[in-house]
Amino acid sequence: MSNCARMAATKKVAALKAEMPCAPEGVKEIGYAEDVFTRETMREYLSKDTWKKLMQTIDNGQPLDPSIAGEVAHAMRHWAMDRGATHYTHWFLPLTGSTAEKHDSFLELKDGEPVMAFSGKNLIVGEPDASSFPSGGIRSTFEARGYTAWDPTSPAFIKRHGNGATLCIPTAFCAYTGEALDKKTPLLRSMQALSAATKRLMHCFGKGDEKVTITLGPEQEYFLIDKAFYLQRPDLVMTGRTLFGAPSAKHQQLEDHYFGTIKMRILNFMNEVEKELWRLGIPAKTRHNEVAPAQFELAPMFEELNLSCDHNMLVMEVLRQVADRNGLVCLLHEKPFAGINGSGKHNNWSVAYGGVNLLNPGSDPHQNAIFLTTLCAVIEAVDKHADLIRASVATAGNDHRLGANEAPPAVMSIYLGDQLADVISQLEKGAPKSSKHAGTMKIGVDTLPSLPKDATDRNRTSPFAFTGNKFEFRAPGSSASCSAPNVVLNTVVAEAMNRIAGELEKAGVVGKAKPGEHTASFHNALQKILQDIVKSHKRIIFNGDGYKADWLAEAAKRGLPNTPTTPEALKAYTRKENVAVFEKAGVFSARELESRYEIAMEDYTAKVLIEANCALDMVKTMVLPAVRQEYREAISAYNETDASNVKCAIDVLHDEVVRLASGLTATTDSVARLEDAVRNADPEAAIVEMSTLRKEVDALERQVADEKWPLPKYREMLFVY
C-alpha cells in the first residue's frame, strides 16, 4: 500500500472517529418491535373475530381461513402506511443463501384516479420470476413461473431505507409444480415432522396434546474493517476473504482481544445495530470482542425456530448496512483472514412440549424419563446421520474453518460432559444408581441421578455439545442461513423419536395406566430401548479435545465419517437411505433433495473459480508489477555496488536479487498452473494452486518495500479500525 494511500486511509479513519458521538443514542426512545406487525398491533388493527382466527393459525397451526385475508391485508397496509411505507414486498429465502424481494407500490388506478390498495390475494400469493433463481434442475430458464406464499407465523415487518420504507411479508417460495425453491419451506416441513413425532412420543408417556415449540438461539460472529482498506482489496470485494496476506507480527497470540474493552467506534456501531434490531423486534442480548483482532459477536435470545432463522438473515443484513453507514465493512465470510480464527454461527437448538423443555432434566421421575428419552433420541439421530449433519454446513467458505484449531472438526461427535456421560455409561450396563455430583431421581422402579442445571462444562472443540438444556451445534458457518442444519436436525431427531415411540407401541405397554403413571412393563420396555440406543450409538459420544490429531485416529477406529471437504460431504444428500428419511418425513422429495445437491455443488465450484480468477488478476496486475519494480531496483543497486570500489555489501545485495528472482519465477510458474486449473474448471486443482500461489506471494510481501506493496496489510486491516 503506497504511503499516499495509507495516509488517506488513516485520515479517513480519524475523521470518521471524530464524527462519531461520544454518547450514542440509546434504544429507549424506540419502541420494541415498533416496525413489526405484532400480535398486539394486529389486535389494534383487526376485528376481534379475525384476530382470533389468525391467532389460531399462528399459535396452533390451524389452516389459514382465506376469508380473513382481505381484512388482514387492509389492516396491514394501513399500519404500514402509518409507519411511512409506500411499497410492499414478499420477502423470501431463495437457494442463493441470501434474501430476495421485489417491491410493488400500493398505488393502483381506479377510474383513472390513483388509490392506495392492497388485496388479500396480494398478501397471500405473489408471483416472482423463478427462472433466474437456483433450482438444481427443477425449473428450466424458459419456465419462469414461481409463487411466494404468505407465512403468517413470521410477522410482517418494515424495512427503512433513506427517506422511504417498505412492508416486508415473510413468504415461502415454490415452483409452478409446487416443489420448494427456498429455505423456508423445508424448514416448516421439518418442524411439522418433528412436532408430530414429539407428540407421538409424548402420548406414549401419557401426555395430552400440547404445542411443540422448537427454539433456536444463533450466535453470530463477524469481522469489521475500515472501508478504506476494504476497497483497496479486490479479494475482499469479490470473495469476502483475503486470498493473500502475510501474518501480522501480532495477531491473536496474546489472547487480549477476547472480551476486551470495545473501542468507541465499534461500540457506537453496535449501539446503532441494536437500535435497528430493537425496532425489528429482534432480541439482541450479547455483544463482545471475539478471539481474533477485529472480530466480534452478537447473540440474540432464544426464539421459535422459523422466526429465529428469519431474524438471523435480518441480523446479517443490518450488520452490513450499519457498518457501511459508519465507514466500516462487515465481513461474514467464515475465514476472511488466514492464520487467525474464522467466524461461525453457533446453533443452539432445543425442543419443548407444552412449554416444558424436553432437554431440561426435571424434578420428578416422570419428567426425567422424558428427558433421558429425548437425549437418547438425539444421540441416535446424530450418530445414524452424522453424514447429513456434516453436509448441512458444507460450503467453500466453511472448509477453511472446520478443523482449523478454532472450530470443531469435520468429524461429527457429541459432547455430554462427565456427569451425563456417567449416566449414559450406567444406563448401558443397567439401571443407573448414582451420580458423580448429586442425589438421585427415579424413572419408575429404576433410579437415575439428579441432574442440576449446568451439570456439564463447555467443550469448544465439540461440533455438537450438550450445554445444560439445549444442544449447541458449533459447525455452521457465519455467512450461512440457519435453515439447512435445522432442517436436517429436525428430520433425523423426528425419525429417532418415531422409532422409539413405535417400539413402545409395539411392545403393548402404552396407554395401560393413568396419565403420569406407568406400569413396570412400560419402564422395562423403555429402559431396554434406551439401553440398546446407548450400546448401538455410544461411539458418537466424545468428551475430549476435538482439536487433537489423535481424535481423528480414534474417530476412524470408531467408524465415524470424516469428510473435510464440501464435495465429499455433499454426497450424503445422494445416498438412497438418506433420501428415504427425508421423503418419509415429508421434508424433501427425491427431486428436491437432488436439486439441493446440484445447487450446493454449483455454488462450491463457482466460488472456488471466482477466487482463482480474482487471485490471478491481483497477482498479474498488482503484485508482480510491484515485485518487478523492487527487482529492478535491487539489480541496479547490485550493479552500482559491483562497479564501485566498495565491495563489502555485494554478497548481501546479490542474495537479495536472487531471492526476488526466485520469488518472481516461482510466482509466475504458480500463476501458469492456476490458469490451467481455471481453464479446466477444476476446483480441486485450483484450491491446491491457490494455496501454493499464496505462499509465494506472502513471502514476497515480506521482501518488497512497504511503500511499493499494493495491498493493505494484515497489520493495518486488523488493527486500524
Side-chain angles (χ1 to χ4, degrees):
M1 186 181 187
S2 69
N3 282 334
C4 289
R6 182 174 290 105
M7 289 176 64
T10 303
K11 287 180 180 178
K12 184 168 184 179
V13 172
L16 285 164
K17 287 180 178 178
E19 291 172 6
M20 297 302 296
C22 293
E25 253 186 304
V27 297
K28 291 182 181 178
E29 65 195 58
I30 300 173
Y32 181 72
E34 70 173 34
D35 281 348
V36 181
F37 199 53
T38 64
R39 62 180 60 229
E40 290 307 314
T41 304
M42 294 177 200
R43 188 196 292 270
E44 179 184 347
Y45 279 81
L46 296 172
S47 68
K48 186 175 181 180
D49 287 345
T50 296
W51 185 84
K52 285 184 176 179
K53 288 180 180 179
L54 187 55
M55 290 307 105
Q56 285 294 316
T57 296
I58 293 172
D59 292 334
N60 302 321
Q62 297 293 325
L64 180 70
D65 183 349
S67 68
I68 71 171
E71 184 183 342
V72 174
H74 181 75
M76 196 179 287
R77 178 182 65 81
H78 270 287
W79 168 78
M81 291 182 66
D82 288 345
R83 306 296 302 162
T86 56
H87 291 66
Y88 71 91
T89 182
H90 277 196
W91 184 84
F92 59 102
L93 311 175
L95 296 174
T96 57
S98 185
T99 59
E101 50 194 63
K102 174 176 71 74
H103 296 194
D104 286 301
S105 171
F106 291 125
L107 175 66
E108 292 186 7
L109 292 178
K110 186 175 183 180
D111 298 328
E113 295 296 322
V115 296
M116 305 302 275
F118 184 49
S119 69
K121 181 181 178 182
N122 291 149
L123 169 64
I124 292 177
V125 179
E127 190 182 335
D129 189 334
S131 63
S132 296
F133 288 106
S135 72
I138 286 179
R139 302 293 285 157
S140 301
T141 53
F142 66 87
E143 296 173 313
R145 197 179 295 276
Y147 297 101
T148 49
W150 176 36
D151 172 18
T153 65
S154 184
F157 58 93
I158 288 173
K159 285 175 64 174
R160 299 185 177 277
H161 37 83
N163 296 324
T166 301
L167 171 66
C168 297
I169 303 161
T171 57
F173 179 45
C174 65
Y176 180 72
T177 57
E179 292 163 303
L181 292 176
D182 67 340
K183 293 181 179 290
K184 179 182 280 284
T185 302
L187 182 68
L188 293 173
R189 291 172 182 170
S190 74
M191 292 171 65
Q192 184 172 295
L194 182 55
S195 177
T198 302
K199 288 182 178 181
R200 181 184 179 189
L201 184 58
M202 292 302 100
H203 290 166
C204 292
F205 282 90
K207 297 281 188 180
D209 268 338
E210 298 282 358
K211 182 180 179 180
V212 176
T213 306
I214 308 159
T215 57
L216 175 68
E219 304 167 29
Q220 181 69 56
E221 295 176 337
Y222 60 95
F223 281 82
L224 291 173
I225 67 168
D226 192 85
K227 191 190 296 184
F229 294 139
Y230 172 82
L231 293 176
Q232 295 179 70
R233 295 283 316 208
D235 46 1
L236 285 177
V237 174
M238 293 288 104
T239 74
R241 76 181 183 101
T242 53
L243 301 176
F244 308 106
S248 172
K250 177 190 175 185
H251 42 87
Q252 67 186 50
Q253 64 268 55
L254 296 181
E255 300 177 340
D256 56 344
H257 191 257
Y258 190 54
F259 280 24
T261 301
I262 303 172
K263 290 184 178 181
M264 183 56 69
R265 185 184 185 192
I266 303 304
L267 193 56
N268 286 332
F269 157 81
M270 290 178 169
N271 284 341
E272 191 174 339
V273 165
E274 288 175 2
K275 284 173 62 179
E276 295 287 332
L277 299 182
W278 184 268
R279 194 192 296 272
L280 289 168
I282 300 174
K285 177 71 173 175
T286 302
R287 64 190 187 195
H288 62 82
N289 288 359
E290 253 299 335
V291 173
Q295 186 186 33
F296 310 93
E297 181 178 298
L298 181 154
M301 297 175 69
F302 279 64
E303 296 182 286
E304 183 271 335
L305 176 57
N306 178 42
L307 181 60
S308 184
C309 287
D310 284 354
H311 277 176
N312 183 252
M313 299 303 292
L314 286 173
V315 164
M316 292 191 287
E317 182 176 329
V318 169
L319 287 171
R320 291 189 184 103
Q321 291 177 345
V322 174
D324 185 66
R325 293 203 296 264
N326 284 270
L328 298 163
V329 173
C330 176
L331 302 177
L332 291 170
H333 193 284
E334 286 71 22
K335 193 75 170 181
F337 301 100
I340 61 174
N341 280 17
S343 298
K345 184 175 293 181
H346 302 164
N347 191 94
N348 294 283
W349 174 94
S350 191
V351 58
Y353 191 71
V356 178
N357 187 346
L358 300 184
L359 287 172
N360 194 19
S363 58
D364 62 85
H366 187 64
Q367 188 60 38
N368 286 326
I370 292 174
F371 161 73
L372 196 59
T373 303
T374 306
L375 181 70
C376 285
V378 174
I379 290 171
E380 176 181 307
V382 175
D383 182 40
K384 189 175 179 181
H385 297 293
D387 59 341
L388 280 174
I389 293 173
R390 165 67 182 100
S392 73
V393 298
T395 64
N398 217 17
D399 281 0
H400 294 286
R401 169 180 165 264
L402 292 181
N405 269 11
E406 65 192 70
V411 177
M412 294 296 108
S413 66
I414 291 178
Y415 170 82
L416 294 179
D418 292 341
Q419 186 181 8
L420 268 185
D422 181 50
V423 172
I424 292 296
S425 178
Q426 291 183 57
L427 179 61
E428 180 188 6
K429 298 169 184 174
K433 300 295 182 183
S434 64
S435 165
K436 286 186 174 182
H437 297 288
T440 61
M441 64 183 184
K442 290 185 177 182
I443 293 186
V445 296
D446 305 312
T447 59
L448 279 175
S450 176
L451 302 176
K453 291 183 179 179
D454 299 327
T456 66
D457 197 353
R458 289 180 178 267
N459 187 329
R460 295 178 61 84
T461 73
S462 174
F464 206 86
F466 183 75
T467 55
N469 58 2
K470 63 187 183 299
F471 275 98
E472 182 182 27
F473 185 30
R474 297 177 59 85
S478 53
S479 66
S481 163
C482 294
S483 175
N486 287 290
V487 166
V488 172
L489 187 56
N490 290 345
T491 304
V492 298
V493 172
E495 180 195 48
M497 284 186 167
N498 277 322
R499 193 195 66 77
I500 293 171
E503 289 291 316
L504 290 170
E505 293 161 357
K506 185 178 178 181
V509 296
V510 175
K512 294 190 175 183
K514 295 178 181 179
E517 299 178 3
H518 289 92
T519 62
S521 59
F522 176 87
H523 296 302
N524 291 336
L526 178 62
Q527 181 170 313
K528 176 66 166 58
I529 291 169
L530 301 187
Q531 195 172 35
D532 288 344
I533 289 174
V534 173
K535 288 179 178 178
S536 299
H537 301 288
K538 64 181 180 181
R539 66 175 186 168
I540 199 70
I541 300 171
F542 177 65
N543 287 339
D545 187 349
Y547 291 169
K548 290 186 176 179
D550 56 3
W551 162 234
L552 296 181
E554 170 65 21
K557 289 180 182 178
R558 297 186 185 192
L560 299 177
N562 181 10
T563 50
T565 68
T566 290
E568 293 175 280
L570 291 176
K571 291 176 183 176
Y573 286 134
T574 66
R575 297 186 181 111
K576 290 182 179 180
E577 61 272 22
N578 290 338
V579 175
V581 172
F582 286 111
E583 284 192 310
K584 186 175 181 180
V587 174
F588 284 123
S589 68
R591 190 181 182 201
E592 287 174 327
L593 198 59
E594 181 183 1
S595 75
R596 266 62 183 178
Y597 171 77
E598 295 294 337
I599 290 167
M601 282 300 300
E602 288 174 6
D603 179 79
Y604 174 83
T605 301
K607 285 181 176 176
V608 171
L609 294 180
I610 287 170
E611 289 184 351
N613 278 308
C614 183
L616 289 170
D617 287 345
M618 290 175 69
V619 172
K620 290 191 288 187
T621 64
M622 300 175 78
V623 173
L624 286 178
V627 177
R628 291 190 193 105
Q629 182 182 353
E630 186 78 8
Y631 179 59
R632 286 193 295 269
E633 291 184 11
I635 289 179
S636 177
Y638 173 80
N639 289 336
E640 288 175 8
T641 303
D642 188 45
S644 72
N645 293 324
V646 182
K647 303 292 185 180
C648 60
I650 194 70
D651 291 340
V652 174
L653 293 172
H654 176 270
D655 291 344
E656 182 181 355
V657 170
V658 170
R659 283 196 301 270
L660 287 168
S662 176
L664 271 172
T665 302
T667 301
T668 304
D669 290 345
S670 185
V671 164
R673 293 193 299 271
L674 182 55
E675 286 176 328
D676 285 341
V678 170
R679 272 193 297 271
N680 295 327
D682 186 343
E684 291 185 15
I687 289 172
V688 172
E689 296 305 333
M690 276 194 290
S691 177
T692 302
L693 181 58
R694 175 168 196 148
K695 290 177 183 177
E696 301 297 343
V697 171
D698 290 357
L700 287 169
E701 181 184 324
R702 293 192 179 281
Q703 298 177 55
V704 174
D706 191 58
E707 68 271 11
K708 293 191 187 72
W709 194 252
L711 302 169
K713 297 183 177 182
Y714 273 27
R715 69 168 185 264
E716 296 163 332
M717 292 184 288
L718 293 172
F719 292 98
V720 182
Y721 59 86

